Amino acid sequence: MRLTVLASAVAAALSLTSLDASAQSSRDDEIAALKAQLEVLQAKVAELEERSDAQSDVNIDTAQAIEKATTGAPKVDTKGGIKVTSADGKFEAQLGGRIHFDGYAFDRDIVSTTGTTEFRRARLTLSGKAYGWDYKMEQDFAAGSNLDGLRDLYISKAFGKNRVTIGHFKPYRAMEELTSSNEILMMERPFASATGLFNGRQFQQGIGYQYSGANYTASFAGFNLRSAAGARNEGMGASGRVTFAPVNSEQSTLHFGAWASSENLNLGSPDLSASAAYAGRRGPSQTIATVTGASGDSMTAVGVEAAGSFGPLFFQAEYATADFGRPVGGDHEVETWYVQGAWIINGHRAYKAGTGVFGAPKYVDKGIWELTARYDSIENKDILNREAKSMILGVNYYLNPAMRLMFNYTRGENEVNGDETGQYAARLQYAF
């Protein structure tokens, strides 16, 4: 009995020993397998690190190559036009232009008129910078292929809030005169501009100075009386304009301004006249007053202006009086004024504080409708019935930032001969 128990105990011990040895052998196999897997993973990680380092070197080399190529190449910007800037930023050149294609018909009264179509403006503009100086060259092929069509041609330099302009440009006078033809309310400007008071004297050769802030401007110019295509003469002129906008927010602007101009005729100067096309362009015209070049007299004018843009509503008005010198019989006083306004159905006319004028409504993502109206008057106070008036109703539609359709109906009145001609006019405008 005791031998059996002892034998059983020995057998059990031997069995446990065998089991422990078997388990130990299994664990050793598992550890060996794990070590092998770890070695494989470490090899893959090392391989991936080598690839990552190589790719980083390639990325750095590529970035350096791109930076080097970009640094040495000019920058081309096609947003809203074509603009090229040199790699060092010292030179800029921008190409722009405008096409105004008009058609009109007349409701005839006394004076004979002819309706037709024409290119009112066909301009190419080159502007930019060179060594910190701005330049602009603009040719209007609808007015002539040589000097007859020359418009802006100047260089200018900004010094903080100050700017000096030298060359061929508009003298600082009359708010509507200084507003771009791409942004004027009607198809033609009122009589208190080169369309009437300063007939044929829109651009002059001289030097100008302008100081402008967030809501004010002060501008002065000295110029001669020779246009780009005109004969040489010794006439001289000067003009100045100041503006102030006591209210100037994104949706509300109230503007006030005043200006003065003096033109002194001298040897070889052409006649200066105020002439009103009271029934629209290419319609009948009435001369209101004249200063002859032979007399050597002068023409001086002063004007005040007020304008405002409040949400969809816009208004603008100017009043000017001018003395046209005469060698005998006393000077002639000319008085002109206009009031114009608009209701913009889905837009707002923005204010350009740097020049003291209003621009066109800002196009966002849909067409803009604008209903317009103007009453315009010009009169020689020293000659009985030497007066012309016009009433204009219109509508503008802005298809996109570059295109505008315009329609104007003008009813003119000439007090000299009693003529009351009407005009229907339309324009397709494309500007970039």
Side-chain angles (χ1 to χ4, degrees):
M1 181 68 179
R2 291 178 179 174
L3 290 173
T4 303
V5 171
L6 179 60
S8 298
V10 170
L14 290 173
S15 175
L16 291 173
T17 302
S18 176
L19 289 173
D20 289 343
S22 176
Q24 182 64 39
S25 175
S26 177
R27 285 194 296 269
D28 290 343
D29 292 341
E30 291 177 358
I31 292 171
L34 290 172
K35 287 182 177 179
Q37 293 176 4
L38 181 61
E39 290 176 356
V40 172
L41 290 173
Q42 288 176 339
K44 290 183 178 180
V45 169
E47 182 181 357
L48 290 174
E49 288 180 345
E50 291 178 358
R51 291 181 179 180
S52 178
D53 291 341
Q55 186 62 46
S56 297
D57 293 338
V58 171
N59 291 341
I60 292 173
D61 293 341
T62 302
Q64 290 176 344
I66 293 174
E67 181 180 0
K68 182 178 180 181
T70 304
T71 303
K75 178 183 177 182
V76 179
D77 186 1
T78 58
K79 183 179 180 180
I82 302 174
K83 182 179 180 180
V84 180
T85 305
S86 64
D88 58 8
K90 294 182 179 180
F91 301 92
E92 291 181 7
Q94 183 169 355
L95 184 64
R98 70 190 69 178
I99 299 172
H100 296 180
F101 184 64
D102 294 359
Y104 40 84
F106 291 95
D107 182 6
R108 298 177 180 87
D109 186 25
I110 297 175
V111 180
S112 176
T113 56
T114 302
T116 187
T117 60
E118 69 171 1
F119 286 99
R120 178 66 175 90
R121 297 175 182 90
R123 299 184 185 180
L124 278 179
T125 305
L126 178 65
S127 60
K129 295 182 179 180
Y131 293 112
W133 284 77
D134 299 329
Y135 65 86
K136 185 177 181 180
M137 295 182 287
E138 187 172 63
Q139 179 73 26
D140 191 347
F141 296 98
S145 58
N146 203 344
L147 294 177
D148 289 334
L150 188 63
R151 295 300 180 251
D152 281 319
L153 178 56
Y154 61 76
I155 59 174
S156 66
K157 175 70 174 178
F159 304 91
K161 295 182 179 181
N162 307 273
R163 178 174 290 277
V164 175
T165 302
I166 304 170
H168 192 246
F169 58 94
K170 291 181 180 181
Y172 305 115
R173 59 192 183 195
M175 183 178 191
E176 185 76 351
E177 181 62 51
L178 296 174
T179 303
S180 169
S181 61
N182 288 328
E183 300 176 323
I184 55 178
L185 196 63
M186 304 295 185
M187 290 176 59
E188 300 298 330
R189 293 182 172 89
F191 301 144
S193 69
T195 305
L197 196 60
F198 303 102
N199 181 50
R201 308 191 301 283
Q202 187 175 36
F203 295 88
Q204 304 291 160
Q205 299 177 22
I207 181 170
Y209 166 78
Q210 185 173 64
Y211 182 82
S212 60
N215 62 343
Y216 60 88
T217 68
S219 310
F220 306 93
F223 52 90
N224 62 45
L225 302 187
R226 181 190 184 189
S227 64
R232 289 177 293 173
N233 64 75
E234 296 182 359
M236 295 296 295
S239 67
R241 179 173 179 258
V242 293
T243 68
F244 175 58
V247 178
N248 186 22
S249 64
E250 185 175 349
Q251 289 296 318
S252 299
T253 301
L254 180 61
H255 162 102
F256 297 103
W259 53 269
S261 176
S262 178
E263 298 168 276
N264 188 13
L265 282 69
N266 211 321
L267 182 64
S269 296
D271 295 350
L272 303 185
S273 65
S275 180
Y278 54 90
R281 181 173 172 80
R282 302 301 186 189
S285 179
Q286 176 62 56
T287 298
I288 305 299
T290 299
V291 180
T292 63
S295 70
D297 274 301
S298 63
M299 180 273 208
T300 59
V302 294
V304 292
E305 57 195 45
S309 181
F310 301 94
L313 299 178
F314 170 75
F315 80 91
Q316 181 175 309
E318 288 188 80
Y319 170 85
T321 180
D323 287 329
F324 285 73
R326 291 162 52 85
V328 294
D331 297 348
H332 282 182
E333 179 186 357
V334 173
E335 181 182 77
T336 182
W337 61 275
Y338 72 88
V339 177
Q340 65 182 15
W343 177 40
I344 308 167
I345 297 177
N346 52 343
H348 171 77
R349 278 193 169 254
Y351 185 61
K352 299 182 177 182
T355 54
V357 300
F358 283 89
K362 184 178 180 180
Y363 186 91
V364 181
D365 56 1
K366 60 181 179 180
I368 298 175
W369 289 94
E370 183 177 44
L371 304 180
T372 64
R374 177 200 291 161
Y375 183 82
D376 203 2
S377 174
I378 188 168
E379 178 183 7
N380 187 323
K381 306 293 287 186
D382 295 294
I383 300 180
L384 184 63
N385 294 333
R386 185 64 63 87
E387 182 179 4
K389 303 174 183 177
S390 69
M391 178 68 189
I392 307 175
L393 298 176
V395 58
N396 300 326
Y397 179 64
Y398 301 81
L399 287 81
N400 56 51
M403 296 186 69
R404 174 169 67 159
L405 297 176
M406 306 180 72
F407 173 79
N408 286 176
Y409 173 72
T410 303
R411 170 62 66 176
E413 182 179 348
N414 187 348
E415 294 292 338
V416 177
N417 59 9
D419 180 45
E420 294 186 2
T421 296
Q423 184 195 66
Y424 302 89
R427 170 176 295 169
L428 172 62
Q429 173 180 305
Y430 180 77
F432 64 95

